[in-house]
Amino acid sequence: MLFRSKHKSFRSRLGWLPIPGHHGLVANLNTPRTDRRSWGDRLDHCCGPSLDQETLLFSPAVPQPDALRTVLAFPSTYSVGITSLGFQVVWATLARRPDVAVRRLFTDRADPPLPRGQLDLFGISLSWELDGPVLLELLEQQRIPLWSHQRSADDPIVFGGGPVLTANPEPLAPFLDAVLLGEIGRAHV
């Protein structure tokens, strides 16, 4: 894990119990559920930390003035995206480089945005087939043309990776300028 939450009431507000001798948390199944929201929704609603409340377990580099301005997006909420080991590894790898100024984007929150037209790279990690439509929504929110052939030199390079693109990049290829195939240590463009 590359971060941990500073939120003190994280466990008690969700009905989670620590198990003696166990390093993880397990849902307390005896806690009655009074609503139909998922655990992820409950995490986001009641106590999801904001990005400035994280305790990083690594030291990000200070970006150089001419660093590549990058957004790394995850097509789900913060509580789901931050648990993705692949997303964390890519983000931490980029954040440790002084030649890259990386910001994260989730469907429910983001690092402070860059001004329009000041983005060099836009990357997304796709874990499920149903993440494809979210890619298009995130591109629209960032005011990036959806189709790769409609982008100009003023638009960021849009790249994607993750299990979905490694398995079959063709359905989403028209929307991406580059596809990273394989694991982060041995990715092929």
Side-chain angles (χ1 to χ4, degrees):
M1 182 186 294
L2 300 174
F3 90 102
R4 66 177 169 250
S5 172
K6 290 181 184 176
H7 201 285
K8 297 190 186 310
S9 61
F10 180 76
R11 294 176 187 164
S12 62
R13 291 173 90 184
L14 289 176
W16 294 73
L17 296 176
I19 304 297
H22 184 60
H23 298 289
L25 295 173
V26 182
N28 180 359
L29 300 178
N30 296 324
T31 302
R33 295 221 20 219
T34 58
D35 57 42
R36 300 184 57 82
R37 292 180 292 163
S38 71
W39 283 108
D41 290 342
R42 294 179 85 186
L43 281 168
D44 288 336
H45 176 71
C46 75
C47 57
S50 65
L51 298 180
D52 62 348
Q53 291 178 318
E54 295 173 333
T55 300
L56 300 180
L57 302 180
F58 69 96
S59 297
V62 176
Q64 300 166 344
D66 61 343
L68 282 172
R69 296 159 304 197
T70 305
V71 168
L72 187 61
F74 194 86
S76 192
T77 61
Y78 172 84
S79 64
V80 174
I82 205 63
T83 63
S84 168
L85 182 59
F87 183 82
Q88 282 196 46
V89 169
V90 172
W91 170 64
T93 300
L94 295 175
R96 288 183 182 129
R97 296 182 56 135
D99 59 341
V100 178
V102 63
R103 296 168 189 254
R104 294 171 294 164
L105 174 64
F106 301 96
T107 57
D108 62 341
R109 59 188 84 165
D111 287 322
L114 291 167
R116 171 95 174 108
Q118 293 190 8
L119 183 59
D120 299 313
L121 299 171
F122 181 90
I124 189 162
S125 175
L126 299 168
S127 300
W128 308 100
E129 289 81 1
L130 295 177
D131 289 343
V134 181
L135 163 65
L136 304 179
E137 291 173 20
L138 292 173
L139 290 174
E140 283 182 336
Q141 288 175 4
Q142 298 295 309
R143 296 187 181 128
I144 300 170
L146 295 181
W147 301 93
S148 61
H149 70 273
Q150 293 176 341
R151 295 188 195 114
S152 68
D154 297 330
D155 294 312
I157 295 171
V158 177
F159 68 94
V164 168
L165 294 173
T166 297
N168 184 10
E170 286 303 315
L172 296 172
F175 308 106
L176 301 169
D177 299 311
V179 176
L180 303 175
L181 302 175
E183 297 178 18
I184 186 167
R186 300 174 289 162
H188 304 285
V189 179

